Amino acid sequence: MIDLQTPLLYGAFGAYILSTLLYLLHVAIKRPLFWRLAFSLVCGGFLLQSTVLAIRWTSAGYLPVTNLFSTLFFFSWALAAIYLYFELRYRIAATGLFVMFLNLLLLGGAIPRDPTLSPLVPALDTPLFSLHIVFSFFGYAFFAMAFSLGVLFLIQKHIGTALLPETATLRKLNEEAIFLGFILFTLCMLFGSIWAYIAWGHWFSWNIKAVWSSLVWLFYAGMCHAKFIRRWQGTGYAWLSIAGFAVVLFTYLGIGLLMTSNHPLD
Amino acid sequence: MLLRLWNLLCSLKLTIWLASLATLLTMVGSLLIHFYPSVFGDIEAGPLGSWLTGTGAKNLRLSFWLYLASGATLLLGINTLCCFLDWLPNWRSRWRKTGEYLIHLGFVFLVISFVWGSLAGARSDDQVIAVGESLSLEKLVPGSGYSLRLDAFEPLLGESGRPMDMLSTVTLLQDGQELMQQQVHSNTPLLHDGLVVIGRSYGSTVEGFLFATATQRDLPLRPGDTLEIADGGMLRVLRFYPDAMQRRDGKVFPRGAQLGDPAIELELIRPGSDPWRGWYHLRQSPPLQLKQAGVILWPQQPLLKSYSVFTINRDPGAALAMTAGVLMALGACVALFSFYRKRARGDRPDIA
């Protein structure tokens, strides 16, 4: 079964590339058919990616999100899931183009890497680990979605195109993405802290990864409050979403790849 | 005046300012932690309070941010508590925000538990206990009478021979009375009264030697052991050094715990003769006195004793932190469900 993962992965990548092209066509020539086809391809890609995840999970016997390949893959899968959530709930149409670009970057970054499943070290053999990473990457995916919505809000505000939803809708969606991301990231931090306590004896660590994860939480907690302040609504909130995602990217990739931490991405 | 102070403490803008201040300071500080291990390397060796009054105070140029960020976080905790207290009496009209305010209360508990643990906690990463031996925990929990005994130890090795896990069976005692026994391994620490015991490493030490005699194939000898010999005499083992060094004046000193030049100190008591006491360097021929007494000891192999290295921490705020976690998790779930209800009802947030 595990041999199937590579063709399925390429299939998913191909589906996402095609959907991105169709979204671009939809932007250029606004036809519902292109959007429907693009959306169907995202659904197909997500289904293939889910199958790969299920195969890898079954083969490994644990949720395989332990190295750079698997985290990029899982992040991409979570982002596709979040995109589908917004698309099905709000029909965001061309708004999906930006998210699909991000998704392609993530999956494109994963594909050249080694997908080999390594035995799980006992320290990671706990449901707390699985809960920690699932909530973490879904939180990240919502923050990535908020980043996309923030960028699109700024574009819409400055050029005012009929291809994008109105700024009020984009603002609402952005707030929803931030709120849901914050809630999931809170759960990620809670499970991570409990796990750290039973694995290392302290629930908060001054390790750079733990510190920056706390910063991500604090930043988005601040954002959840900032939406109640008039000055920060709309444009300010969009810029905060962009800045927040920069913090997320540094926490996930910057620290994992460039620095020594207790969350290495090798 | 008091009302203005209360309004300030409940202010949403104060929350944003404090959260931003704590975030920015910690962003800068986290990089200082990373690039100055000589200053921050021991920040986790003990509770934060002792680091702030020790190493931190001596290196204020690099650690100033931590005092400021701690202050900002403390103020944020107070601000959050005031917001919660402001909301609580109005619960009946603002119950839809229950989830969010449970997260607020959880955060307040988290800050308190962190401060409590930082001031009254204790940490130790290098507690070595050999199998069958006990370690007093008085330094970690003064006046508690706690001690920890290692009853058994077994490493779990992978296919390549690499250690995968460490199974340490430990007993926690209080004033010599057994309180609890547990096998400690990965993600399964011993938890009691704010204490957390985690296996960190292991090793073995040489505690004696296995000998062969003319009549006995395997004779283990450790310090304290005695051996009856012919003519009603007795041989007693006084000391054992895995790596011994003999000075010119004849005195013997231990060089280290690793096996090198092992030596065993013996006392030979025979009726009608003066007792003899001396060292048998196992890489050399036996002492003449042993040969004259007819005691033949052929060294076979070292006797190894396993030990575990434990992380033993005490965090009096751990239970409160767990309560905070439960409150926050509950709050997150309630907030998640109420979010959709609020959206469906068309509720919009209050604008400040």
Side-chain angles (χ1 to χ4, degrees), chain A residues 200-224:
Chain A
W200 297 290
H202 41 76
W203 53 269
F204 177 80
S205 164
W206 287 101
N207 184 282
I208 193 158
K209 181 77 176 190
V211 170
W212 274 77
S213 298
S214 308
L215 288 178
V216 168
W217 185 84
L218 200 57
F219 186 92
Y220 284 102
M223 277 193 76
C224 286

Side-chain angles (χ1 to χ4, degrees), chain B residues 104-314:
Chain B
H104 281 66
L105 185 62
F107 178 72
V108 172
F109 281 9
L110 213 57
V111 172
I112 295 171
S113 65
F114 187 75
V115 172
W116 191 1
S118 298
L119 295 177
R123 288 184 180 191
S124 176
D125 257 348
D126 50 4
Q127 299 294 328
V128 179
I129 313 178
V131 173
E133 290 180 3
S134 298
L135 175 80
S136 168
L137 304 181
E138 275 297 310
K139 273 189 182 174
L140 285 166
V141 200
S144 66
Y146 288 144
S147 59
L148 191 71
R149 188 178 69 215
L150 178 62
D151 298 321
F153 174 78
E154 185 193 346
L156 271 185
L157 303 177
E159 284 176 8
S160 60
R162 187 177 151 220
M164 299 297 286
D165 205 350
M166 297 164 284
L167 312 178
S168 306
T169 307
V170 293
T171 301
L172 183 69
L173 305 114
Q174 187 171 34
D175 300 323
Q177 300 292 310
E178 291 188 6
L179 281 181
M180 61 189 295
Q181 188 187 49
Q182 190 185 317
Q183 190 178 68
V184 170
H185 56 96
S186 278
N187 296 316
T188 313
L190 180 144
L191 298 168
H192 181 80
D193 190 22
L195 269 176
V196 54
V197 178
I198 291 164
R200 185 169 157 257
S201 177
Y202 72 96
S204 58
T205 180
V206 188
E207 59 167 350
F209 230 84
L210 187 71
F211 293 88
T213 67
T215 55
Q216 205 171 339
R217 196 175 160 188
D218 293 326
L219 174 68
L221 286 181
R222 300 176 182 87
D225 287 350
T226 54
L227 174 70
E228 285 184 11
I229 57 173
D231 305 332
M234 189 178 72
L235 184 71
R236 184 184 297 151
V237 181
L238 299 175
R239 280 183 288 181
F240 172 79
Y241 291 159
D243 192 12
M245 181 183 71
Q246 187 164 24
R247 282 200 328 209
R248 281 184 187 168
D249 61 3
K251 286 190 175 172
V252 175
F253 291 90
R255 223 174 354 210
Q258 298 298 315
L259 193 66
D261 193 358
I264 191 163
E265 190 184 24
L266 301 166
E267 186 177 39
L268 182 65
I269 301 162
R270 294 167 70 197
S273 304
D274 288 337
W276 169 82
R277 186 173 170 170
W279 285 90
Y280 174 11
H281 292 269
L282 304 185
R283 290 191 186 278
Q284 299 168 17
S285 54
L288 188 64
Q289 290 80 354
L290 288 185
K291 286 182 186 170
Q292 286 172 343
V295 178
I296 300 166
L297 294 172
W298 286 295
Q300 303 293 307
Q301 63 184 65
L303 292 171
L304 299 175
K305 189 175 193 178
S306 297
Y307 63 82
S308 280
V309 184
F310 291 101
T311 289
I312 307 178
N313 292 348
R314 181 172 176 266

Side-chain angles (χ1 to χ4, degrees), chain A residues 179-180 183-184 187, chain B residues 331-341:
Chain A
F179 177 76
L180 294 177
I183 291 294
L184 296 181
L187 293 172
Chain B
C333 295
V334 173
L336 201 59
F337 288 112
S338 66
F339 174 79
Y340 289 104
R341 269 193 71 83

